[in-house]
């Protein structure tokens, strides 16, 4: 959940490091720092700043005051120790011979710290990272080998980590290593780079290598070498990043979130187009064969946050269309409840980054139990993509805002397509009916655009409720799944206490929370549940709630109950989530803007949760 960059080459390092960190501030923004080696003196200079990256940029005159052509940088999301310059990365050994940046959590840091204190080391910070750098220094002083010292330290560290490491005694090299935290290595015309995510190095190169678990990379300005724990050199193939560099920029929008909301029609269309061939769902390119689908007797879907809400929607769709039982789990619960996975089942892991720590652990647990895994991910070459038996890529492109929008929407599309193909293989969806559903899918981008074209009504309504203290979202069936995501968007970027409830649960305690002018959003896209949800909305209105109703065009009777109504185009009921979520994304966004908050970097959150 922190950002790492590194560079060694022919150009000044600090401006490149700061530019890379600026692309990673969504991964951490409590503090930032860089370390640069001055080749003329052999010394390394470490500069840190508390708060947003802008403070560090100003402190270093955009990097121009820090001289040298190799260095490492970091933007931090605090885990061990409060945000401060002392706790900011990079961290150094006592004699400043070893300097390190770290993403992840070292679980046995206290045990290692006690060992190092007994050997004369002192500690200036509250971080687990300082333990790592001093452990590497300890083994370096014994072995005089950077590679051996890093490898030996890795064998003694428990937890997750990605490291960028510099040794004062090795002026022409930087090193990188990883276990369970993302890290990529890049090669440009004038040097080599490390980064914890593609946007960090995209303006320097499109040619990257993915470093795997328990591997070490050694970088010079001209070469990159990879090693395993035995220090045997291993070969890796270069991967070319297809993203347009401008895709990771705001493109004239005030915030990345608004830009990414508006990119959903394109992202949805691209994801559909990747798997629909000749008017049929085709998974042949990912190796998911009909014979394998035919044998599936149970599906387990695992995700965190918004990915879990996709799982909730997918459960309703899959069970209705395929008659296959579906269990859904929050990833952190799945791995610890000792799940009973039946024979002939499939585990689906949903993750935008493909590096989500709990989801990755759930994947590995499923494979240990001998169950096939389907990964639904957005990032090519990510850990979940590489370790899954099959991977359904979502074609959202880079998603920078911490609050997911287009990745969520493309994950929904992937799960619709999976449900449709599974239903066909099970003999429950005819070719004719499948063609009709594909036609409905192909209309979704234009229908999403229609909702976006009417966003000013949502903006006006959001300004009225920007000072709300509490909000509630209600729905039944798929509308409950939509409500969960709408509520999350509200709470994570506006800091308004918001909850989503299955509407039928109101009378079992929740209705006691309703006070005069409490905003309640009722979602009503499922025609068979419309009247039931209306009755629940009437109940809260009679207790003083102010009602926003979200339904499809034609259900104008909702205006008899709701104080403010929002309409979305009609579609196949299975696909309603894809349309109904758009007004709720916009509502959360505009409430946050009206409150003057940092929409793209909400407090206490980071984009990719790579630690437990």
């Amino acid at each position: 959940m922190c950002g790492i960059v590194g560079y060694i080459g022919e150009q000044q390092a600090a401006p490149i490091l700061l530019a890379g960190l600026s692309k990673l501030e969504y991964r951490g923004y409590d503090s930032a720092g860089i370390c640069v080696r001055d080749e003329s003196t052999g010394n390394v200079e470490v500069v840190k700043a508390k708060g947003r990256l802008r403070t560090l940029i100003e402190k270093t005159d955009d990097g121009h005051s820090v001289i040298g052509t190799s260095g490492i940088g970091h933007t931090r999301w605090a885990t061990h120790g409060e945000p401060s310059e002392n706790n900011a990365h990079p961290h150094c050994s006592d004699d400043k011979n070893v300097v390190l940046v770290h993403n992840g959590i070292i679980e046995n840091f206290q045990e290692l710290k006690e060992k190092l204190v007994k050997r004369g080391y002192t500690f200036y910070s509250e971080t687990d990272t300082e333990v790592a750098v001093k452990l590497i220094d300890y083994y370096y002083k014994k072995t005089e080998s950077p590679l051996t010292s890093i490898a030996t330290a890795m064998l003694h560290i428990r937890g997750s980590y990605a490291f960028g490491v510099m040794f004062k005694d090795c002026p022409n090299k930087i090193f990188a290593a990883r276990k369970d935290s993302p890290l990529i290595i890049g090669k440009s015309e004038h040097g080599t780079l490390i980064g914890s995510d593609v946007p960090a190095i995209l303006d320097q190169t499109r040619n990257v290598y993915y470093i795997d678990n328990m591997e070490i990379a050694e970088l010079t300005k001209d070469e990159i070498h990879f090693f395993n724990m035995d220090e045997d050199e291993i070969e890796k193939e270069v991967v070319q990043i297809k993203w347009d560099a401008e895709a990771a920029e705001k493109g004239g929008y005030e915030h990345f979130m608004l830009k990414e909301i508006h990119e959903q029609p394109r992202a949805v269309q691209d994801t559909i187009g990747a798997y629909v061939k000749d008017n049929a769902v085709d998974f042949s390119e990912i190796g998911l064969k009909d014979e394998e689908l035919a044998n599936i007797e149970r599906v387990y879907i695992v995700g965190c946050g918004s990915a879990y809400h996709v799982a909730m929607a997918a459960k309703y769709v899959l069970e209705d269309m395929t008659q296959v039982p579906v269990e859904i789990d929050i990833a952190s619960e799945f791995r610890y409840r000792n799940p009973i996975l039946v024979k002939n089942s499939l585990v689906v892991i949903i993750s935008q980054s493909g590096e989500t720590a709990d989801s990755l652990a759930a994947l590995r647990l499923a494979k240990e139990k001998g169950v096939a895994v389907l990964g639904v991910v957005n990032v090519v070459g990510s850990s979940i993509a590489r370790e899954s038996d099959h991977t359904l890529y979502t074609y959202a492109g880079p998603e920078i805002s911490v609050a997911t929008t287009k990745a969520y929407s493309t994950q929904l599309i992937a799960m619709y397509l999976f449900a449709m193909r599974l239903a066909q293989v099970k003999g429950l969806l005819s070719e004719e009916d499948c063609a009709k559903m594909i036609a409905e899918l192909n209309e979704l981008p234009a229908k999403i655009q229609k909702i976006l074209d009417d966003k000013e009504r949502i903006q006006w309504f959001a300004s009225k409720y920007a000072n709300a203290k509490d909000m509630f979202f209600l729905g039944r069936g798929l509308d409950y799944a939509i409500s969960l995501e709408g509520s999350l968007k509200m709470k994570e970027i506006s800091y308004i206490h918001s909850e989503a409830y299955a509407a039928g649960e109101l009378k079992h305690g929740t209705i006691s929370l309703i006070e005069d002018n409490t905003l309640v959003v009722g979602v009503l896209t499922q025609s068979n549940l419309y009247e039931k949800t209306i009755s629940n909305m009437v109940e809260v209105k009679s207790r003083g709630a102010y009602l926003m109703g979200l339904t499809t065009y034609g259900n104008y009777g909702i205006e008899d109950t709701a104080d403010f109504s929002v309409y979305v185009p009609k579609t196949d009921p299975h696909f309603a989530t894809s349309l109904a979520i758009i007004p709720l994304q916009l509502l959360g966004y505009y409430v946050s803007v009206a409150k003057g908050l940092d929409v793209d970097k909400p407090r206490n959150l980071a984009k990719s949760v790579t630690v437990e």
Side-chain angles (χ1 to χ4, degrees), residues 439-515:
E440 290 280 3
L441 276 178
N442 284 327
E443 289 181 4
L444 287 178
K447 290 177 178 178
I448 293 172
Q449 188 60 54
K450 180 177 175 61
I451 300 167
L452 293 172
D453 291 342
D454 196 29
K455 63 182 181 292
E456 284 74 17
R457 290 189 72 244
I458 301 291
Q459 184 176 11
W460 170 83
F461 182 73
S463 66
K464 285 186 61 176
Y465 269 86
N467 294 320
K469 301 297 183 186
D470 302 280
M471 291 187 189
F472 298 96
F473 292 72
L474 306 177
R476 291 172 179 260
L478 265 174
D479 291 334
Y480 173 46
I482 300 166
S483 296
L484 286 167
E485 179 62 10
S487 177
L488 178 60
K489 289 284 96 53
M490 182 60 66
K491 70 183 75 174
E492 67 183 339
I493 60 172
S494 76
Y495 316 149
I496 292 173
H497 171 248
S498 172
E499 301 294 342
Y501 293 99
E505 279 292 288
L506 273 177
K507 292 185 287 291
H508 299 278
T510 308
I511 203 167
S512 66
L513 297 172
I514 302 300
E515 300 175 348

Side-chain angles (χ1 to χ4, degrees), residues 212-504:
D212 288 313
N213 269 350
M214 306 305 285
E215 291 181 353
I216 303 168
E218 177 187 278
L219 290 75
T220 68
K221 68 183 183 68
D222 300 311
E223 296 179 348
I224 304 168
H225 298 277
F226 296 94
F227 303 89
N228 60 22
M229 285 293 95
D230 295 324
E231 298 180 42
D232 296 325
E233 188 164 358
I234 52 180
E235 296 294 323
K236 286 190 176 289
E237 290 191 9
V238 67
V239 177
Q240 188 170 46
I241 300 300
K242 304 292 187 183
W243 291 351
D244 182 341
E246 292 182 4
E249 303 294 338
K250 288 182 184 176
Y253 287 91
E254 185 177 357
H255 298 99
F256 277 112
M257 184 178 179
L258 186 61
K259 173 178 178 276
E260 289 160 7
I261 288 172
H262 279 266
E263 288 175 340
Q264 287 176 115
R266 189 272 310 158
V268 165
Q269 187 61 67
D270 287 352
T271 305
I272 295 168
Y275 303 109
V276 174
K277 313 291 183 186
D278 298 323
N279 213 32
V281 180
D282 182 357
F283 291 147
S284 60
E285 288 188 8
I286 68 168
L288 187 56
K289 298 178 180 178
D290 287 351
E291 306 85 74
E292 190 174 348
L293 290 170
N295 290 328
I296 294 174
E297 296 176 6
R298 186 177 294 266
V299 175
Y300 306 86
I301 312 178
V302 180
C304 305
S306 294
Y308 175 73
H309 299 159
V310 172
M312 174 76 79
K315 173 181 171 68
Y316 287 112
V317 173
L318 272 163
E319 289 189 336
D320 185 60
M321 291 183 63
T322 70
Q323 301 301 297
V324 173
V326 177
E327 293 184 23
I328 60 173
D329 271 281
I330 297 170
S332 56
E333 293 297 311
F334 179 86
R335 64 180 297 199
Y336 291 120
R337 72 172 175 86
N338 191 22
I340 299 169
L341 306 182
V342 301
K343 187 180 178 182
N344 296 330
S345 59
L346 177 72
V347 172
V348 180
I349 306 288
I350 304 176
S351 167
Q352 187 281 135
S353 67
E355 303 289 352
T356 311
D358 287 312
S359 300
L360 189 53
L363 180 155
R364 291 168 179 163
L365 177 61
K367 297 198 78 169
E368 283 174 18
K369 290 177 174 285
V371 177
V373 174
L374 172 66
V376 178
V377 300
N378 190 43
V379 179
V380 175
S382 58
S383 296
I384 291 174
R386 295 198 305 273
E387 296 186 31
S388 296
D389 297 288
H390 308 288
T391 302
L392 269 175
Y393 282 114
T394 56
Y395 288 80
E399 188 180 63
I400 306 302
S401 178
V402 168
T404 183
T405 51
K406 61 178 180 172
Y408 169 86
S409 289
T410 53
Q411 289 164 358
L412 285 173
I413 297 299
M415 295 311 297
Y416 298 156
L417 293 168
F418 174 71
M420 290 162 63
R421 190 62 200 159
L422 184 59
Q424 273 198 289
V425 170
K426 296 286 187 182
L428 297 173
L429 183 66
S430 68
E431 285 190 19
E432 181 182 358
D433 288 339
C434 184
K436 290 179 181 177
M437 294 188 80
I438 288 172
E440 290 280 3
L441 276 178
N442 284 327
E443 289 181 4
L444 287 178
K447 290 177 178 178
I448 293 172
Q449 188 60 54
K450 180 177 175 61
I451 300 167
L452 293 172
D453 291 342
D454 196 29
K455 63 182 181 292
E456 284 74 17
R457 290 189 72 244
I458 301 291
Q459 184 176 11
W460 170 83
F461 182 73
S463 66
K464 285 186 61 176
Y465 269 86
N467 294 320
K469 301 297 183 186
D470 302 280
M471 291 187 189
F472 298 96
F473 292 72
L474 306 177
R476 291 172 179 260
L478 265 174
D479 291 334
Y480 173 46
I482 300 166
S483 296
L484 286 167
E485 179 62 10
S487 177
L488 178 60
K489 289 284 96 53
M490 182 60 66
K491 70 183 75 174
E492 67 183 339
I493 60 172
S494 76
Y495 316 149
I496 292 173
H497 171 248
S498 172
E499 301 294 342
Y501 293 99

Side-chain angles (χ1 to χ4, degrees), residues 90-246:
H91 286 286
C92 307
S93 59
D94 291 349
D95 59 4
K96 292 188 169 57
N97 181 53
V98 186
V99 187
L100 177 145
V101 290
H102 166 221
N103 173 27
I105 286 185
I106 297 171
E107 295 173 355
N108 61 333
F109 82 99
Q110 194 62 49
E111 169 192 328
L112 295 172
K113 185 174 183 178
E114 291 170 3
K115 171 183 173 179
L116 291 165
V117 168
K118 289 177 182 177
R119 285 159 175 77
Y121 284 86
T122 59
F123 289 84
Y124 57 83
S125 77
E126 304 167 88
T127 68
D128 54 342
T129 302
E130 189 184 356
V131 173
V133 70
K134 291 179 177 178
L135 187 67
I136 292 172
D137 179 71
Y138 170 72
Y139 289 116
Y140 179 74
K141 285 178 167 53
K142 293 180 71 172
T143 66
E144 297 185 352
S145 166
L147 198 59
T148 302
S149 64
I150 294 171
T152 307
M154 290 170 71
L155 293 173
H156 286 81
I157 291 171
R158 293 197 307 272
S160 62
Y161 49 81
F163 293 144
V165 192
M166 296 172 65
F167 293 81
K168 186 178 179 181
D169 293 347
C170 301
N172 301 314
K173 295 177 181 179
I174 59 175
F175 295 84
R178 72 159 289 205
K179 176 181 178 288
D180 294 339
S181 287
L183 200 64
I184 58 173
I185 313 295
K187 178 76 172 70
S188 73
E189 293 181 359
H190 54 76
T192 58
L193 305 103
I194 64 174
S196 51
D197 206 349
V198 170
I201 64 175
L202 194 58
D203 62 347
Q204 298 293 321
T205 182
R206 294 178 178 277
N207 298 315
V208 305
Y209 299 88
Y210 290 99
I211 182 170
D212 288 313
N213 269 350
M214 306 305 285
E215 291 181 353
I216 303 168
E218 177 187 278
L219 290 75
T220 68
K221 68 183 183 68
D222 300 311
E223 296 179 348
I224 304 168
H225 298 277
F226 296 94
F227 303 89
N228 60 22
M229 285 293 95
D230 295 324
E231 298 180 42
D232 296 325
E233 188 164 358
I234 52 180
E235 296 294 323
K236 286 190 176 289
E237 290 191 9
V238 67
V239 177
Q240 188 170 46
I241 300 300
K242 304 292 187 183
W243 291 351
D244 182 341
E246 292 182 4

Side-chain angles (χ1 to χ4, degrees), residues 28-136:
Y29 40 79
D30 294 330
S31 59
I34 58 173
C35 170
V36 176
R37 178 187 288 112
D38 184 343
E39 289 76 17
S40 63
T41 64
N43 293 327
V44 294
E45 182 175 359
V46 176
V47 186
K48 305 180 185 183
K50 177 184 175 182
R52 295 294 167 90
L53 181 63
R54 172 50 51 188
T55 306
L56 180 64
I57 291 172
E58 293 171 354
K59 194 172 183 179
T60 59
D61 187 25
D62 291 324
H64 299 304
S65 67
V66 187
I67 305 302
T69 58
S70 63
I72 52 179
H74 189 270
T75 181
R76 181 172 184 251
W77 189 85
T79 52
H80 291 75
E82 66 180 9
S84 68
E85 284 196 19
N86 248 9
N87 291 329
H89 301 210
H91 286 286
C92 307
S93 59
D94 291 349
D95 59 4
K96 292 188 169 57
N97 181 53
V98 186
V99 187
L100 177 145
V101 290
H102 166 221
N103 173 27
I105 286 185
I106 297 171
E107 295 173 355
N108 61 333
F109 82 99
Q110 194 62 49
E111 169 192 328
L112 295 172
K113 185 174 183 178
E114 291 170 3
K115 171 183 173 179
L116 291 165
V117 168
K118 289 177 182 177
R119 285 159 175 77
Y121 284 86
T122 59
F123 289 84
Y124 57 83
S125 77
E126 304 167 88
T127 68
D128 54 342
T129 302
E130 189 184 356
V131 173
V133 70
K134 291 179 177 178
L135 187 67
I136 292 172

